[in-house]
Amino acid sequence: MRKSPSLVALFLVLAVVSAAAARDRTPPSIVTPATVRLIESRVVMPGRAEPLANYDRYYLLRTLFGVEIVHGRFVLRSLGAQVPAGAEPVPDVPGAFTVPRGGQLPQIADDGRCAVVSVYLNVETRKFVRVQIDDDEPGPAVCGQPPF
């Protein structure tokens, strides 16, 4: 049985479209520089935190409770935290790094002076997720590291 050229062409087009659609559904592996700039332009630091510029900022894409989020962890530069394996500097954003999906953000013991700040941004809505740690006031940026 001989296949018509138009039928073969149709199958090829469908295969290319299906492959492109599959690629589009694959979640990105790192936070984009534009998203980092968005977060840093909108974040309001907790009351007892130092200014944002005093922190090294690490960003990681992850799925949390079924929602795609950017997990940001800001670590006081004076602590000298080691940059995690695989982390890359964000172009034109000094002190900011992206960590590949599945990687690890720095783990730092917070001494109660807000040495670590955590933020979560919903990727779809582009809004911060409010969190609360211990008895601190809930907010879009909180001192410490939530257990999730």
Side-chain angles (χ1 to χ4, degrees):
M1 175 165 144
R2 186 166 178 225
K3 295 181 178 138
S4 74
S6 60
L7 189 57
V8 172
L10 176 63
F11 282 123
L12 287 174
V13 168
L14 288 175
V16 169
V17 169
S18 295
R23 278 195 307 273
D24 290 344
R25 286 193 302 266
T26 303
S29 62
I30 63 167
V31 180
T32 66
T35 300
V36 169
R37 285 190 287 277
L38 172 77
I39 292 169
E40 295 195 359
S41 70
R42 291 178 37 200
V43 70
V44 176
M45 298 294 279
R48 54 192 176 102
E50 293 191 21
L52 181 67
N54 293 357
Y55 292 82
D56 284 327
R57 286 105 44 220
Y58 302 91
Y59 297 97
L60 171 75
L61 283 168
R62 59 189 285 213
T63 303
L64 187 62
F65 306 117
V67 176
E68 195 68 14
I69 60 145
V70 174
H71 180 176
R73 181 164 296 152
F74 307 163
V75 179
L76 269 178
R77 191 167 294 114
S78 61
L79 294 179
Q82 186 168 352
V83 176
E88 294 288 332
V90 176
D92 302 320
V93 186
F97 301 85
T98 58
V99 177
R101 184 183 294 275
Q104 295 292 315
L105 295 171
Q107 297 290 324
I108 304 293
D110 194 344
D111 59 6
R113 62 184 176 111
C114 208
V116 177
V117 174
S118 295
V119 298
Y120 298 89
L121 180 82
N122 181 312
V123 171
E124 184 178 335
T125 65
R126 310 302 265 184
K127 293 183 179 180
F128 289 107
V129 177
R130 294 178 62 82
V131 295
Q132 182 174 9
I133 299 177
D134 300 325
D135 294 329
D136 283 351
E137 193 69 28
V142 294
C143 296
Q145 302 167 90
F148 43 83

